[in-house]
Amino acid sequence: MRWTCTAPQRLAAAGLACLAGLMSACTLPSLQPFAESTAQIHAAVLKTDTDVPVLLREANKADAAAEMDRHLALRVQAMNGVLKYAESLAHITAAGQTGTQAAGKVADSLNGLLGAIKVAPLAGEAVSLVAMAYGYVAQVRAASAFSEAVERADPAVQGIAAILDKDLRALEDLLLQMRIPLSDRVINRTPENVALQDFRSGLERERRKLERALDPATVNTDSAKRLQDIAMLIEQTRERWEPLRAEQRAVVARVDGQIALMKKTRQALGEWAAVHGELAGTVKAGLRPNTAVLYSIASQIQKLVDGSAAK
């Protein structure tokens, strides 16, 4: 029996033939979405709240402030390098460069990224990892195609992402440790604040003790009178106490916002590294990288930054 194509089947076959012809023309897919999503993360990171180190110094936590300054400097320097690397890859594909010429450009881009990480104030372990990653530059330069070059660069890029993740985690842990000291700083600024806190804390303890001892079956007029006196004293100090408590809550909320930002930035870098790991395959297939998740996380980071700035 002779097989014949229906009209829809012929159209589909023609579409596939056209697609194959386009792919055979050695046109590289656009990596602009990858660069744009990287730029979103970069812009958000640059807006990180720098008031937290100031608060740490005011709380006599100079060492913690210096450590946070180091982390912030690394993050900005590193993200500058990450953005330039992503933009460079996008420029290479936009220019239609292929073969060894493209591989050389990728090698230059990777070298620039490693340079940005190297000059940042890294810990010894990270310095060793970056030094080892330089060995991949020669391998990338020896590649014969853009996709092969990106594939060879990926282990170095994943190592850099791991460095940044570790550093951001250290910053996150530092902020967690500083929540209570920064909150206490509000009270410890003046002896009057400390005295007020001690006075109210004493009243609250006495009130809880009296309330636990009350017997509903009997009437203890002395206890009831003392509870009334305590309530009155607490109310009389409310005008001085509430602004201090509001300031404490605002400080803690600010620190918690930075902790949330660290977590989300780590998530974004992890997704960025995952997209990079798939770049070689998507380029070979003539497809754009799937940056939908990366865009979503970057948008969430921006909301956290905007919320922090509004506080």
Side-chain angles (χ1 to χ4, degrees), residues 83-265:
L83 177 60
K84 288 180 181 178
Y85 175 77
E87 288 179 337
S88 178
L89 295 187
H91 291 156
I92 293 170
T93 57
Q97 295 175 340
T98 58
T100 56
Q101 182 185 22
K105 294 284 188 180
V106 175
D108 292 340
S109 302
L110 177 61
N111 194 59
L113 174 56
L114 292 171
I117 303 294
K118 184 178 180 181
V119 298
L122 292 169
E125 179 186 354
V127 171
S128 300
L129 198 155
V130 170
M132 181 180 67
Y134 270 107
Y136 289 104
V137 175
Q139 297 180 30
V140 173
R141 201 175 299 279
S144 59
F146 176 80
S147 59
E148 182 185 1
V150 172
E151 188 173 24
R152 292 185 179 187
D154 190 60
V157 171
Q158 299 301 326
I160 291 170
I163 290 173
L164 296 178
D165 179 81
K166 185 174 182 179
D167 195 81
L168 288 169
R169 179 57 186 268
L171 180 53
E172 183 182 324
D173 291 342
L174 175 62
L175 287 168
L176 281 169
Q177 294 169 18
M178 290 299 108
R179 288 177 83 252
I180 293 177
L182 285 174
S183 175
D184 289 345
R185 158 193 164 275
V186 175
I187 303 299
N188 295 334
R189 276 192 309 228
T190 68
E192 292 78 13
N193 289 349
V194 175
L196 178 61
Q197 177 178 253
D198 291 344
F199 178 67
R200 285 182 61 95
S201 296
L203 290 174
E204 293 288 358
R205 285 194 299 270
E206 186 181 359
R207 180 166 64 178
R208 287 193 295 271
K209 183 178 179 180
L210 288 170
E211 287 174 343
R212 285 196 299 269
L214 283 178
D215 186 353
T218 62
V219 178
N220 188 325
T221 56
D222 290 338
S223 294
K225 177 63 170 62
R226 180 54 185 163
L227 284 170
Q228 289 178 349
D229 291 342
I230 290 173
M232 182 182 66
L233 290 169
I234 289 176
E235 184 60 33
Q236 287 175 348
T237 57
R238 186 182 303 278
E239 187 175 352
R240 291 173 54 203
W241 179 246
E242 285 303 321
L244 294 174
R245 287 293 297 136
E247 187 177 350
Q248 281 187 307
R249 288 191 291 269
V251 168
V252 170
R254 192 159 201 165
V255 175
D256 287 347
Q258 292 300 298
I259 293 171
L261 181 60
M262 295 305 100
K263 291 180 181 294
K264 193 59 67 173
T265 304

Side-chain angles (χ1 to χ4, degrees), residues 36-49 75 79 82 168 256-272 292-311:
E36 288 174 355
S37 56
T38 307
Q40 280 188 293
I41 299 170
H42 174 266
V45 166
L46 292 184
K47 294 180 181 177
T48 298
D49 188 353
R75 187 149 35 109
M79 283 309 301
V82 167
L168 288 169
D256 287 347
Q258 292 300 298
I259 293 171
L261 181 60
M262 295 305 100
K263 291 180 181 294
K264 193 59 67 173
T265 304
R266 289 176 58 214
Q267 183 185 358
L269 282 171
E271 180 62 23
W272 184 89
V293 175
L294 193 55
Y295 264 118
S296 175
I297 299 172
S299 297
Q300 293 170 39
I301 290 175
Q302 189 59 57
K303 288 180 181 178
L304 287 171
V305 171
D306 293 342
S308 176
K311 291 177 181 177

